[in-house]
Every structure is written in structure tokens, then in C-alpha cells.
Amino acid sequence: MGYDPDSGKRLNLFFTDRMPGGAFIYRASEGHELLYANKVMADLFECDSVEEFREFVGNSFDGIVGKAQLSEVQNEINEQITDDNREFDHVFYYIRTKKGNVCLVEDYGALVHDPQEGDVFYVFLISREISAGNSEIDHVTGLYARDKFFATIRKMAKKADKDKEQEYALIYLNMVNFKLFNLKRGVAEGDACLKSIGEILKGSYEDAVITRLWGDHFAVFTKYENLVEKHERAARTFRGMYGKQYNIYGKNGVCRFKLTGNFDVEAALSKAKVACDSIKHTPGVTYIEYSDALQEQLDIEEYVEHHIDEAVEKGWIIPYYQPQIRSITGKLCGMEALARWQDPVYGLLTPNKFVDILEESRQLHKLDCYMVQQVCRDIRDRMNAGLPMVPVSLNFSRLDFKMCDVLKVVEDAVRETDIPRDFI
């Protein structure tokens, strides 16, 4: 039985429509007109049909890539085909779907000369997430893929009882300012930077198991000895390559432990991430170890963020008055109202336990408005009792003026308590 061209055509269409990624063909000539696209391309772009997808991208490869990165991607394709004397390319770029979502994709293209259409590109497109999940090796850095990383540590843990005194560490590494570099310099240079990070980590942490978890987040499993020195060596090397020029640097959270047969690698990595996240907005600090004290601090911060409304409603916030003494006379001339949080769970919380977290969560105005109202009430109570009174100063955050009408809050509190303006 010979080859049936019609059957072959039917099988080709059947095959491409059932591939685990997008498939399309476009002209190599100017305009890059689309000649074919499978249904998966429509799905990737969150379109209901291939026709809708074609219309959305202007029936062109240019519309798939987008104007912002088209020139860079096109140059990369041309360089790979021309300079390397080959007929295929492998590039990365971001696509924006019809619903506005952004996705990083991997493009495998082959330049083919068709007798009827001329030079065309056959392309297989797959999202980075799909490709990373189907391999034991991260194709950008050459490090272990996430699942391989976890599986390797679990195997090591089963044999760890032979050396019960050896201490290990899991490091969670988040690269700061990498996303900005990736947007400015493009995916190709971004991937080159990620690969350099992987090489530096392998060179600095001997006999370690290393993975790129996702994006610019890495994890390192290694022995604990000389960990700070290893970290500093890696940071110093990377700073010389990218840090000084592009202000990219790493935040490192460390979980320290002894390896046992029932070791929970996910839980340890979560602790390392908690430590890493705790210094995310702390300038100059790039390394911190997880501890029970750190966890308690983070628990308090989370508690404060979710209980400020209750604290205000139930009067857990109390003004403490710090006297102001005139140095010449030695007499009391004023007071400053300072907030203290008398909590039923954590006891007395000082401002360093709650002010910053309320500012970060954009809730500090709730505290400051409450303090204004409470101070005015306290002044009125002293006046009613015939006690001496001096002016009281209050603290405000710049965010108060964005999150509420703080001047109106002060005006209303003074008017409602009927106190002299000179006392605020």
C-alpha cells in the first residue's frame, strides 16, 4: 500500500492540533504573515478560536511577539541562523494574551524553503512552565529542575542516619532587581544572567544540590560549615559581573538542620523563604538565618496586620505620654503621645513591633487617627478633673495624608471634645 497524500495531510493536521504546545508557520519575508496556526496557539493566547487568535495578532508573527521586544527577538533569530550557519533557532519572549495576561514562552523555529510559499518558519511554541515541568534539568541554567532537586534531597535523607552530627542548610535565594534587568535587556540576556548565577552557585557551594525554583528564585542544599564564607564568595563574584553595573543582588534566607530519614524538605525550604522574605525590604542585609525568634516576630507582624481594626475598636491601643522638660527652668512644658499596644495574646507591644508593619500594609492611618481621638479625650478628662494640662504633640505618617483626610480627623476630634487648639 503506497503513501496517500490526502491521508498524510489529514494526519499532519491531526498531529499538530494535538501537540502539547502551539504550532504555527509564518513567512520569513517582511511582514511575517501567518500561514498556519493550531488550536493550541489560540488557547495560549486565551482566544476562543484560531480565527480569533489570527485577528488578535494581526495574522503576523510580529503580533505574537509584540512591538516592545520584536526587534530584539528578530535579531536573535537572525544571528542564530546566520552566524551559527544553521537552519533553526531557539529563543524566549513574553506574550500577552487577549485577556491581558503575560506569559514567558519558549520558541523552537526551523527555517524551511517551500517551493510554493518560499522561505517560511515552522515554529513550536511552549510555555516556560510546561517545559520546565517535563525535565530533570532546568534548561536555562543547567541546574536540577525543582522536582529533581526535592527527590535528590529525599534520597540523601534516607541515608543520613549514618552521620547524625553533620549539619546542613537550605538556602532560599531571591535576586533583587532582576526583573527590571530582564525587561530592559531582554529575555536572552536575562537567561544569560540566570545561567551565570547557577554557575556561581555551583562554584561557591561545593558538593551542593542546587535548583532554580522559578523565575529568579533559587534553592541550595549544602553542608552548613563555612556557609557565610561561601555566601560572601558567591555574592562577591556576582557583584563583579552584574551587581555593580545593574544593581542586581541576592537576598538569602537560610534554614539550618540535621538531616534525618523523615526530613521534610518542603517545610525546611518554607522556613528559608520566611527568613528571606523578612529582609526583603531591609537595605544592606542580604543574609539571615531562620530562628524561632524570627518566626515569633513574623507571627506578631501577621497578627498586627490582621488585628489592627479589633485593637482600635476594643481600645488595645493606649497613649503613653513622654514628658518634655525645658532645660533652662527644669519645668514640664509639654508631652509627646506615644502609642503602645496592650494585646490580650502577646502582651505589651512597643512601636517597633507594629508601626512598620502597619505602614507597609497601608493601615498606619488607622492607628494615627485613633491616637488623635484618644489624646483629645484624655485632655478633656484632665480638664474636667481640674488637673493641670500642657500641650501634647502627636506623630503622623506621610501616608496619613494619602489614606484619609487627617486634617479633618484632627478638626473633628478637637471640636467634639471641646478642647483648646493650643493643647494639640
Side-chain angles (χ1 to χ4, degrees), residues 5-22:
D6 292 334
S7 177
K9 183 178 181 180
R10 178 181 59 81
L11 289 174
N12 282 338
L13 293 173
F14 181 87
F15 173 70
T16 57
D17 279 339
R18 283 157 180 79
M19 292 174 73

Side-chain angles (χ1 to χ4, degrees), residues 39-258:
K39 180 62 168 63
V40 182
M41 287 299 296
D43 295 337
L44 282 172
F45 278 80
E46 296 184 298
C47 295
D48 293 332
S49 65
V50 172
E51 290 72 25
E52 185 180 6
F53 158 73
R54 282 176 174 270
E55 181 179 355
F56 176 67
V57 300
N59 200 41
S60 169
F61 173 71
D62 299 5
I64 292 175
V65 180
K67 293 181 180 179
Q69 53 188 342
L70 178 60
S71 177
E72 190 171 71
V73 171
Q74 192 61 56
N75 288 338
E76 180 70 13
I77 292 174
N78 293 338
E79 288 176 5
Q80 290 187 26
I81 291 175
T82 305
D83 295 351
D84 295 344
N85 193 27
R86 62 187 188 184
E87 296 181 343
F88 62 91
D89 64 82
H90 180 205
V91 294
F92 301 85
Y93 48 85
Y94 289 92
I95 63 171
R96 183 178 295 277
T97 72
K98 190 168 184 179
K99 294 182 179 180
N101 295 313
V102 176
C103 175
L104 180 63
V105 295
E106 191 170 358
D107 174 317
Y108 298 87
L111 179 61
V112 177
H113 181 76
D114 185 272
Q116 295 181 353
E117 303 294 347
D119 289 341
V120 297
F121 277 97
Y122 283 73
V123 181
F124 176 66
L125 195 73
I126 190 168
S127 71
R128 174 65 65 83
E129 292 76 15
I130 295 174
S131 62
N134 291 334
S135 173
E136 292 189 343
I137 300 297
D138 176 60
H139 58 281
V140 174
T141 62
L143 301 172
Y144 278 169
R146 180 187 174 98
D147 291 344
K148 178 70 173 178
F149 173 79
F150 287 140
T152 301
I153 296 174
R154 291 191 187 100
K155 288 181 181 178
M156 294 175 65
K158 291 179 180 178
K159 303 175 183 178
D161 290 334
K162 298 177 182 178
D163 188 3
K164 296 182 180 180
E165 298 306 313
Q166 178 66 57
E167 285 190 310
Y168 293 86
L170 262 173
I171 306 169
Y172 187 98
L173 170 62
N174 179 19
M175 302 306 298
V176 178
N177 293 330
F178 172 79
K179 291 180 178 64
L180 182 61
F181 172 84
N182 206 34
L183 287 172
K184 286 185 175 180
R185 307 295 299 180
V187 174
E189 287 198 38
D191 284 349
C193 178
L194 293 173
K195 187 174 183 180
S196 295
I197 295 170
E199 293 297 328
I200 291 170
L201 292 175
K202 287 191 290 185
S204 301
Y205 297 93
E206 304 89 351
D207 302 321
V209 183
I210 309 171
T211 184
R212 184 172 72 102
L213 295 166
W214 58 79
D216 55 358
H217 298 248
F218 293 76
V220 179
F221 172 84
T222 184
K223 291 181 179 179
Y224 184 77
E225 292 98 335
N226 303 317
L227 192 64
V228 174
E229 290 85 347
K230 295 175 184 177
H231 155 69
E232 291 177 349
R233 182 165 66 243
R236 187 167 55 250
T237 304
F238 184 78
R239 187 163 54 247
M241 296 177 63
Y242 287 94
K244 291 181 179 179
Q245 185 175 1
Y246 300 107
N247 194 32
I248 305 174
Y249 57 93
K251 294 284 188 177
N252 297 260
V254 177
C255 179
R256 179 180 179 181
F257 52 85
K258 291 182 178 179

